[in-house]
Each structure stands twice: as C-alpha cells, then as structure tokens.
Amino acid sequence: MQYSKKVIEHFRNPHNQGRIKNADAVGQVGNIACGDIMKIYLKIKDNVIKDIKFETLGCAAAISVSSALTDMAKGKTLEQALAITKDSIVKDLGGLPPVKVHCSMLGVEALHQAIEKYNNKI
Ligand code: FES
C-alpha cells in the first residue's frame, strides 16, 4: 500500500494529539467495519475553535486524517469547520489509498458530532 509523503509525516509526528481538560464539546465515533475509534475535543470561544485535540485508536490513515483535520479546523469558525469535508482532508493529505478512504470519514463525523453537541448545549 502506498501512502503519500504527507500522510507518513502526519503519522510519524501527529499534530494536536491528546485530550483537552474541560473541553467545551467532545465528539466520539467508531467505525463498525474495523473497530477503530476517534475522539475529538474542542475548546470554543466566540464561535471560533480556539483549541482542538484528538485521540485515535486506529490505523495509520485514521491518525494522519485526525492530525490534518485538527490543523484545518483550528482557528476556524464553527460554520467553517462544518464545511470541512472528507474530500478536502484527503486532498490536503495528497490522497489516500482507495481502501483507506473510508478512514477519513471518522474525523469528519467526530468533528461534526462535537460541534452539534456544542450547538445543542448553548
Ligand atoms: Fe479503521 Fe482505518 S482501518 S479507520
């Protein structure tokens, strides 16, 4: 399987990995097919994502996607973050092997879920 240079870089040195204590919202999704789990923590102020971290129990692609996604979402408004699609992450990563494209769904779903929870809370 061929991973792009960027996927390998994110996998070796993931950005924004960990958890946020007192997060304003947390999203967690699992992939039924492979059993992998992704959790996204958000710190939000004035409708902007001030901080974002992830914990991923998953494959190399899922970890790279989480790292790229958190980079893309940081500093964005909630509306801009909701507009991030799995295609934009795959593009940012320079592509994913076809059998790994489904792994990019986890990140987007976890982020959307966290934002929805936050919106329902306020
Ligand atoms: Fe499960 Fe990639 S194989 S998320």
Side-chain angles (χ1 to χ4, degrees), residues 31 33-37 56-62 99-100 102-104 106:
N31 186 327
C34 62
D36 291 348
I37 297 170
T56 296
L57 276 174
C59 69
V99 295
K100 287 286 171 187
H102 75 276
C103 309
S104 61
L106 275 185

Side-chain angles (χ1 to χ4, degrees), residues 44-48 50 118:
I44 298 163
K45 191 156 187 259
D46 299 330
N47 202 45
V48 171
K50 292 289 180 196
Y118 178 78

